[in-house]
Amino acid sequence: MTEDEDIRAVWAARKGRSGGAAFQRRRSAPPRRPVVPGARQAPPEPPEPPEARQSIVVDPGYDLAATVGVLRRGAGDPTFRRAEDGSLWLGCRTPFGDPGTLRLRLATTETVDAEVWGPGAAWLLKTLPDLLGLGDTEEARAEFTELVAAHGNAQLIQSVRRNRGFRVIRSGRVWDSLVPAVLEQRVTVQEAHRAYQLLARRYGIPAPGAPADIRLCVSPSPREWALIPSWEWLRAGVDGKRSRAILGASRVAARLEETVGMERDEAARRIRTVPGIGVWTAAEVMHRAHGDADAVSVGDLHLPRIVCGVLGDPAMKWDDDRMLELLEPYRGHRYRVSALLYR
């Protein structure tokens, strides 16, 4: 080994990489074939046959992408992919820790086709109607529409008309919603999405049955999140407070999953008992995992400004108290209001 190579090997070792032998192997590895634009590429491999299929009847005008898309954490989310044919691929971990893959496709204006793979397939099919937002009843949506019409806010009325196909989902997977929400605390959405994507891709597992070109993965289990080294959190841009909150939640993950079957106030209270998880994080989990159409993300950086600007006087001071005051007439549907104002 030359002196120059020896110095490089030392620096590689300091960064946690392999030593000189690995460095030499990398140097001697054959170069990759260049990608030539327009050259004929091998067709992507088809997915494995699904373990089960099911068709679900939905309302005319149902919007699959808008409804299930609330689970997506940025365009690069490795656990949520949208294929070229418009189908949605989700890498999921059930409350029992089993990985599974779910493919959703709007077959007709009134039918969603679902295919599942992996150990968690049976659970995913069982909870599929809630994931699609079918628990968000027509009566509840009609009540909300009447409230909006009665208060006469033009911008909210227009948003309701534009988003008639939007439903409030109930994924039933607390852990899969909790970790990204914790990572979004006190940072920009871009920073949080980058951290989640890096860590989920590195420490997750390939989604069972998904084709390789989709590059879908299932996020780590609670134990696997807890075993991520401290320097990897820092490398992903996650400070100690957020990583400690995820570590603390991992110790009681099974108890947190039990909240799906609990009354909403008691469920939110139990989630908030984990150090580092407050009202904002609990609300972000409640409306995704529990189907809580009234969960308000108090403490959000932008939401009070948006709500107060639309429902109140844009020239007046805006804060959480003012936001809650303006949302009070919509109690029971306050998350629905905030979701529509973002669309």
Side-chain angles (χ1 to χ4, degrees):
M1 181 182 295
T2 67
E3 181 180 355
D4 194 31
E5 290 172 342
D6 186 53
I7 292 174
R8 294 182 184 179
V10 170
W11 276 107
R14 287 184 179 180
K15 293 180 179 179
R17 302 171 183 167
S18 302
F23 177 75
Q24 288 283 46
R25 286 196 297 272
R26 288 197 298 272
R27 284 176 58 86
S28 59
R32 296 181 179 180
R33 295 179 61 185
V35 177
V36 180
R40 181 176 298 175
Q41 302 290 332
E45 296 183 6
E48 299 176 10
E51 298 183 21
R53 290 187 174 93
Q54 187 172 343
S55 292
I56 300 289
V57 177
V58 295
D59 298 328
Y62 172 83
D63 193 332
L64 175 65
T67 298
V68 182
V70 299
L71 297 175
R72 190 182 195 184
R73 305 292 178 157
D77 186 349
T79 67
F80 191 115
R81 298 295 196 191
R82 183 166 186 168
E84 293 182 359
D85 63 357
S87 61
L88 305 181
W89 290 81
L90 283 72
C92 310
R93 191 172 292 278
T94 73
F96 308 102
D98 298 323
T101 300
L102 177 63
R103 178 179 181 258
L104 301 172
R105 184 176 65 90
L106 196 63
T108 70
T109 56
E110 301 181 23
T111 308
V112 173
D113 287 348
E115 298 175 330
V116 290
W117 294 261
W123 187 91
L124 290 173
L125 276 188
K126 180 181 178 181
T127 58
L128 180 59
D130 283 341
L131 177 68
L132 295 177
L134 302 190
D136 188 9
T137 64
E138 184 178 353
E139 291 77 12
R141 301 195 309 275
E143 178 186 71
F144 174 66
T145 303
E146 291 177 4
L147 278 175
V148 172
H151 289 86
N153 183 277
Q155 188 166 336
L156 189 55
I157 290 173
Q158 288 298 322
S159 185
V160 169
R161 291 174 179 169
R162 289 195 309 269
N163 297 280
R164 291 187 183 277
F166 172 72
R167 305 287 183 267
V168 177
I169 70 166
R170 186 174 185 263
S171 75
R173 295 182 283 116
V174 173
W175 182 257
D176 274 2
S177 295
L178 178 68
V179 172
V182 172
L183 293 176
E184 290 175 3
Q185 294 175 355
R186 301 180 306 279
V187 296
T188 66
V189 172
Q190 292 78 12
E191 291 175 284
H193 286 173
R194 173 185 174 275
Y196 178 69
Q197 292 163 16
L198 285 173
L199 295 171
R201 189 179 295 112
R202 179 157 190 175
Y203 293 98
I205 61 173
D213 62 303
I214 294 292
R215 296 184 300 167
L216 186 73
C217 77
V218 177
S219 68
S221 67
R223 183 175 184 276
E224 291 164 343
W225 279 104
L227 292 176
I228 295 177
S230 58
W231 58 87
E232 292 292 350
W233 290 106
L234 295 174
R235 184 176 296 177
V238 181
D239 58 71
K241 189 170 185 179
R242 286 179 291 158
S243 61
R244 285 192 297 270
I246 293 175
L247 177 60
S250 71
R251 299 190 181 108
V252 293
R255 297 279 290 164
L256 296 177
E257 295 289 0
E258 293 173 358
T259 61
V260 172
M262 297 169 60
E263 191 271 334
R264 61 177 300 274
D265 289 339
E266 181 61 20
R269 186 202 63 78
R270 180 180 290 189
I271 293 172
R272 294 197 305 268
T273 59
V274 178
I277 296 180
V279 176
W280 183 89
T281 306
E284 292 291 304
V285 174
M286 290 294 295
H287 74 73
R288 288 183 174 91
H290 298 72
D292 187 354
D294 197 48
V296 185
S297 299
V298 175
D300 192 273
L301 182 61
H302 303 290
L303 186 59
R305 174 177 55 83
I306 295 172
V307 171
C308 295
V310 174
L311 302 183
D313 185 350
M316 293 180 64
K317 178 183 177 181
W318 50 267
D319 54 22
D320 284 329
D321 291 338
R322 177 61 175 157
M323 175 184 70
L324 291 174
E325 179 184 342
L326 292 169
L327 288 174
E328 183 59 30
Y330 303 94
R331 179 171 286 275
H333 303 277
R334 292 179 295 177
Y335 161 67
R336 206 188 301 269
V337 172
S338 61
L340 290 179
L341 292 183
Y342 267 108
R343 296 175 184 275

